[in-house]
Amino acid sequence: MSAGPRFPADPGGRASLWAGLAGGLFAPLATFGFDLPLWASLPGAALVFLGARMALAPRALFDGLDPGSVDAATVALARDVIVAARADLDRLRAAALGLRTREAARHLEHLHGIVRGVLERVEGDPRRMSRVRRLLTYYLPAAVRLGEGLRVLEAAHRPDAARLAAVGAMIARLDTVFARHADRIDGVAVEGLDVELTLLADALRAEEAGAPAVPADREAAP
């Protein structure tokens, strides 16, 4: 699976843990391995901790974005939606892992992968959010509720077969819906390609009919 967007659910927590581990190992290693005095190894451990903490600190959303390229409202909206979607993704993964119905679990895992890819694309350009907002704010939470609901149905002492089948079928339908909405993120590029195809088709028809593809004075120009 591809790497996720650069905004973990626990920003700073894991970075501090690993930095503390690196700093804690440095002092005994420097003291007993390299015979450094304790007064030198302890400040060195602190420096190692600070350096590792800075290196491992998660990047803030859109920290590399040109401030003049996107308005602040668009960035704020994209940030809020992404944060909420990340929490929903964690719940979706937990629901999928807890299901006994493997077909439904497979679909939920696929939905999870689709949304991860969408979030990565929106992180690169928050203007894409307008094309996938409904996916992230409506269909994703709905998929979470279905997955968690299916877990509850499966755990019943006498599972309702009709409800299990209905929820499983709806999850399968969402698979197609998620893919359709995710494809809209490249709608502008696809529309531009359609225009290019039309222009080229017109030029080729003119060429095949014997008409010059460009004005004669342009062809004669040096």
Side-chain angles (χ1 to χ4, degrees):
M1 184 177 291
S2 62
R6 296 184 294 274
F7 36 94
D10 180 22
R14 294 181 183 176
S16 296
L17 177 64
W18 287 108
L21 180 62
L25 290 176
F26 177 84
L29 180 63
T31 301
F32 300 108
F34 298 97
D35 295 325
L36 287 179
L38 193 61
W39 60 265
S41 60
L42 288 179
L47 291 175
V48 168
F49 170 79
L50 292 175
R53 181 66 179 79
M54 292 178 62
L56 296 173
R59 290 178 52 190
L61 276 173
F62 312 126
D63 62 351
L65 190 68
D66 180 5
S69 63
V70 187
D71 63 276
T74 298
V75 173
L77 172 64
R79 182 180 292 112
D80 290 344
V81 173
I82 287 173
V83 171
R86 288 287 292 172
D88 285 336
L89 272 186
D90 290 340
R91 292 173 58 191
L92 189 68
R93 167 60 61 82
L97 293 177
L99 288 178
R100 294 196 296 265
T101 307
R102 297 317 307 161
E103 183 68 12
R106 183 182 65 81
H107 281 300
L108 291 181
E109 285 285 357
H110 189 223
L111 301 184
H112 186 278
I114 290 174
V115 175
R116 281 179 63 92
V118 166
L119 291 180
E120 291 175 0
R121 302 291 301 282
V122 175
E123 185 193 3
D125 185 353
R127 290 169 296 189
R128 293 186 173 117
M129 177 59 71
S130 62
R131 293 183 171 269
V132 292
R133 183 178 178 182
R134 183 168 176 79
L135 169 64
L136 299 178
T137 61
Y138 179 71
Y139 287 114
L140 174 59
V144 171
R145 292 192 295 270
L146 288 177
E148 293 176 343
L150 188 56
R151 288 184 62 180
V152 173
L153 291 174
E154 289 182 340
H157 293 293
R158 299 179 62 184
D160 187 326
R163 284 183 173 176
L164 286 172
V167 175
M170 183 59 67
I171 290 174
R173 291 179 65 186
L174 281 181
D175 203 322
T176 301
V177 172
F178 270 52
R180 183 185 305 120
H181 277 261
D183 287 342
R184 292 177 182 173
I185 202 167
D186 291 319
V188 174
V190 172
E191 291 167 3
L193 181 61
D194 290 340
V195 172
E196 186 68 26
L197 287 172
T198 300
L199 292 175
L200 283 172
D202 291 342
L204 289 174
R205 278 195 295 269
E207 186 82 21
E208 292 164 355
V214 295
D217 57 342
R218 290 189 184 180
E219 292 184 346

